[in-house]
Amino acid sequence: MRLRRLIAADSTDRLAVYAPESGAWVDLDAAVSTLGADEALRPLTRTVLGFLDAGERARDSARSVVQRAVSEGVAVIDRPAPTLPVVPASLRCFLGWEAHWDLAAHNLVRRNLPRAVPFIRGFEAVTRSTFPALRPGPGFDDHPIYYTGNHLTVVADETLVEWPSYSRALDFELEFGAVVTRPVRDVSEREATAAIGGYVVFDDISARDTQWEEQRRTPFGPVVKTKTFASSMGADIVTADEVSPYLDSLTATVTVDDEVWSTTGTTGMRYSIGESLAYASRGENVYPGELLTSGTLPRGCGLELDRWIAPGDRVELSIERIGSVTNTIGTR
């Protein structure tokens, strides 16, 4: 089920539900108020997280109300204006694909330290393995790895992304996000998977020149000012039942100013979202509303493609079954 978050005049949240058969959107709260519904659904029409966590019964009840609303022309609305589908309570950014890290690391060196490239190539030709400094590190072979990002600078679909004053090399990163909808601590992979209520498309916007400096010269690595100034999230959130069974086989695209820059997919993710959340919950409470991002899909960023966005560019990242996020890049 595809949902959007409506913000009412009194600043309360409401749910909009997409009806795929007709292409219409329905204000679920208004539809339930007019047409009636299962009592269990009534308190869920104004809480995205509550609705997502309520599961199959809530979806079935909502689907019935939406079908009736469309047929009777009740509470049918225009496509809702983009907003954040959830306001993230935290942001945990995982590394999903070693192929992304490998190519991005090689291109970062080629861009900033070209004299090292012949040596790296020679080492890799002889050893038939990736140059050690360009691998994610041995921990990635043992368990999921992530950093904690800035959840307060996530902007909505169609929002202008301000170019950070300290960077000259801005980049997009095509990812998906998984929204936690129930509290967990020290859970199994199966229990963690059940705590994921929905999925969004996510752009982990990065300052690549800053990344090079932070990676070489600071103790906290390339995820401080490189990443914390902005990221963006699609307006649609899709319930986990419609995404999870296909999560290892979704196609995805990067489009800049109507030109397709990359076609990629989710195949080959090193750790499942359930494994990632289970790891995050070790000895630690994870709460509803926290967002886990997948890491960049292979060939899902400009650094890997050696193509660079500029002020005024319109960047659209899309993932099959989930949706898209589109932002225009601000002036430098």
Side-chain angles (χ1 to χ4, degrees):
M1 181 170 284
R2 184 173 301 275
L3 310 171
R4 283 197 172 191
R5 174 172 158 255
L6 301 172
I7 303 176
D10 61 359
S11 297
T12 59
D13 288 353
R14 300 200 311 274
L15 269 68
V17 179
Y18 181 65
E21 299 83 2
S22 63
W25 287 86
V26 172
D27 181 333
L28 186 60
D29 187 67
V32 167
S33 296
T34 302
L35 302 174
D38 184 335
E39 285 300 318
L41 181 63
R42 291 180 181 274
L44 302 175
T45 61
R46 297 190 177 195
T47 165
V48 174
L49 294 177
F51 181 87
L52 292 173
D53 191 50
E56 185 176 3
R57 179 179 175 182
R59 293 194 301 271
D60 289 346
S61 182
R63 193 173 291 111
S64 176
V65 172
V66 167
Q67 289 172 348
R68 185 179 169 195
V70 170
S71 66
E72 298 183 20
V74 172
V76 176
I77 59 175
D78 293 334
R79 186 182 187 189
T83 61
L84 293 178
V86 294
V87 178
S90 80
L91 178 61
R92 301 170 191 258
C93 304
F94 284 82
L95 171 61
W97 292 267
E98 187 166 356
H100 154 69
W101 183 280
D102 186 300
L103 182 54
H106 280 81
N107 281 355
L108 197 64
V109 171
R110 184 173 60 82
R111 178 180 173 87
N112 293 282
L113 194 63
R115 65 179 180 271
V117 171
F119 173 77
I120 292 171
R121 286 177 177 167
F123 175 92
E124 293 180 338
V126 171
T127 64
R128 298 187 178 183
S129 63
T130 302
F131 190 69
L134 302 184
R135 291 204 64 233
F140 186 61
D141 296 327
D142 301 330
H143 56 74
I145 56 176
Y146 72 94
Y147 67 90
T148 302
N150 188 354
H151 64 289
L152 299 176
T153 57
V154 180
V155 301
D157 186 41
E158 297 292 351
T159 301
L160 182 75
V161 171
E162 295 186 18
W163 193 293
S165 58
Y166 51 83
S167 176
R168 304 291 295 178
L170 205 60
D171 200 3
F172 55 86
E173 292 193 84
L174 169 58
E175 307 188 6
F176 64 80
V179 179
V180 179
T181 55
R182 66 183 64 166
V184 293
R185 181 185 178 98
D186 287 320
V187 292
S188 67
E189 178 187 355
R190 180 184 60 80
E191 292 167 324
T193 300
I196 299 297
Y199 290 88
V200 297
V201 178
F202 192 82
D203 185 355
D204 184 18
I205 304 165
S206 301
R208 296 302 190 189
D209 47 354
T210 305
Q211 179 176 358
W212 176 251
E213 289 301 307
E214 289 187 334
Q215 194 152 1
R216 291 187 310 128
R217 301 180 62 188
T218 70
F220 297 116
V223 291
V224 187
K225 297 300 286 183
T226 299
K227 301 279 190 177
T228 53
F229 61 93
S231 50
S232 65
M233 186 193 309
D236 293 356
I237 186 165
V238 180
T239 53
D241 62 296
E242 294 196 4
V243 177
S244 294
Y246 311 97
L247 204 51
D248 194 47
S249 59
L250 301 176
T251 58
T253 57
V254 174
T255 305
V256 179
D257 288 340
D258 297 321
E259 179 188 357
V260 176
W261 279 20
S262 181
T263 299
T264 180
T266 59
T267 300
M269 194 174 185
R270 176 64 178 84
Y271 296 101
S272 71
I273 285 294
E275 289 174 299
S276 296
L277 177 54
Y279 178 76
S281 78
R282 289 183 184 178
E284 182 177 347
N285 294 318
V286 181
Y287 295 99
E290 296 200 44
L291 182 67
L292 281 60
T293 60
S294 63
T296 308
L297 276 61
R299 301 188 67 80
C301 69
L303 178 59
E304 290 177 88
L305 304 170
D306 196 22
R307 300 191 70 173
W308 298 91
I309 53 176
D313 283 353
R314 184 172 171 82
V315 180
E316 179 181 1
L317 310 180
S318 302
I319 302 178
E320 180 187 9
R321 289 186 172 269
I322 303 177
S324 65
V325 59
T326 303
N327 300 97
T328 299
I329 307 302
T331 57
R332 187 181 289 136

